[in-house]
Amino acid sequence: MKHEEANKDIGGRGAEKQRGKRVGGNSKIKNVQSPAPNPQPLVPSPQSPIPNLDNWLEIGKIVSPQGLSGELRVYPVSDFPERFEVPGKRWLLRSGEKEPQPIELLTGRYISNKNLYVIKLAGVENCDQAEALRGCTLMVPASDRPQLGEDEYHVLDLIGLEVFMQGSGELVGTVVDIIPAGNDLLEVKFHESFTTDKKQKTILIPFVEAIAPVVDLKSNRIEITPPPGLLEINN
């Protein structure tokens, strides 16, 4: 699975959930991002009291300077290494600003034991300039979604899908989140008609073909064939 999501609320659920790691097994979800195709940056709206981020994807957060030469440490919320390693245009959202501004990525490398990238941006030449970018968000246009392989899905395409029992057609609930793991998990909020346990609001369902054999984006549905006891596992 790969992660990346359109932003509706910086730092919240809209962050490319983008909390991405590559995972193995039978996982088949991806959380989106790759170098941007140079669209025109949006014009800031002085009337808007909050950032207008519906057209953007957050790919990472600058957490600190790296050394004295202006390099930056970035916590990735994208599963696509090219977002941080392939030179080219990215966009930077500074604190208090309403629209991301274009900036050039020069180089990038991954620090595996810290799950961080170290990047170099054009115009950032020393530690003080790097420190001024602490907490800023790296972004790309929402239209810049890398192509996926067969039987792979973007997180955004799965959030909100209704989940049905394949055999009976009974509505189980709605996908509200994706939990990255060895095999990614669908967090499904139960439909009120499905469970009598009012305390259990959600269930985690492994997103593997054996359990979720049908994903129909056009019909807004996932069909599941859970093994006995799975839907009561959190009780």
Side-chain angles (χ1 to χ4, degrees):
M1 166 176 116
K2 297 195 175 190
H3 295 280
E4 274 183 8
E5 299 179 2
N7 278 273
K8 298 180 179 62
D9 182 24
I10 282 295
R13 296 174 63 86
E16 196 179 55
K17 220 183 271 170
Q18 302 159 229
R19 67 191 166 205
K21 297 180 183 177
R22 289 189 179 277
V23 293
N26 297 316
S27 193
K28 51 184 181 178
I29 314 173
K30 292 184 181 282
N31 207 345
V32 230
Q33 252 84 13
S34 76
N38 286 340
Q40 293 297 317
L42 298 177
V43 177
S45 173
Q47 291 79 24
S48 177
I50 58 174
N52 177 17
L53 300 174
D54 290 344
N55 297 320
W56 298 93
L57 297 168
E58 179 188 348
I59 61 171
K61 183 80 72 176
I62 296 173
V63 294
S64 69
Q66 168 79 11
L68 302 176
S69 63
E71 289 187 316
L72 298 153
R73 289 188 170 200
V74 175
Y75 176 73
V77 286
S78 171
D79 288 331
F80 294 84
E82 59 265 37
R83 296 298 197 193
F84 312 98
E85 297 176 349
V86 177
K89 185 178 288 187
R90 306 296 188 273
W91 281 259
L92 185 71
L93 183 66
R94 299 172 185 265
S95 177
E97 292 190 354
K98 298 170 183 175
E99 297 288 351
Q101 299 301 317
I103 196 164
E104 196 75 13
L105 174 68
L106 301 178
T107 62
R109 64 186 186 275
Y110 184 58
I111 305 178
S112 59
N113 62 329
K114 296 183 180 296
N115 188 30
L116 291 171
Y117 284 90
V118 173
I119 66 170
K120 179 73 171 175
L121 298 176
V124 184
E125 304 295 339
N126 56 56
C127 186
D128 288 341
Q129 290 175 326
E131 179 64 36
L133 298 182
R134 184 191 293 266
C136 292
T137 302
L138 284 174
M139 311 187 82
V140 295
S143 59
D144 179 27
R145 285 187 168 196
Q147 291 187 346
L148 300 182
E150 184 179 358
D151 205 27
E152 292 179 333
Y153 305 91
H154 291 305
V155 167
L156 275 185
D157 293 334
L158 297 173
I159 301 295
L161 294 190
E162 293 184 320
V163 178
F164 295 86
M165 297 291 289
Q166 187 176 55
S168 65
E170 187 177 5
L171 175 60
V172 177
T174 303
V175 178
V176 295
D177 204 353
I178 307 298
I179 309 299
N183 288 312
D184 298 302
L185 303 171
L186 303 175
E187 183 179 0
V188 177
K189 181 180 179 180
F190 279 125
H191 188 270
E192 60 184 11
S193 65
F194 187 80
T195 179
T196 56
D197 185 353
K198 301 305 180 183
K199 293 181 180 180
Q200 185 178 357
K201 303 297 185 182
T202 64
I203 189 70
L204 298 178
I205 300 174
F207 192 56
V208 295
E209 189 167 1
I211 296 176
V214 175
V215 180
D216 189 339
L217 299 182
K218 291 183 179 180
S219 298
N220 194 49
R221 67 186 286 135
I222 295 175
E223 296 179 10
I224 62 171
T225 56
L230 175 65
L231 298 185
E232 293 81 36
I233 198 169
N234 288 351
N235 281 336

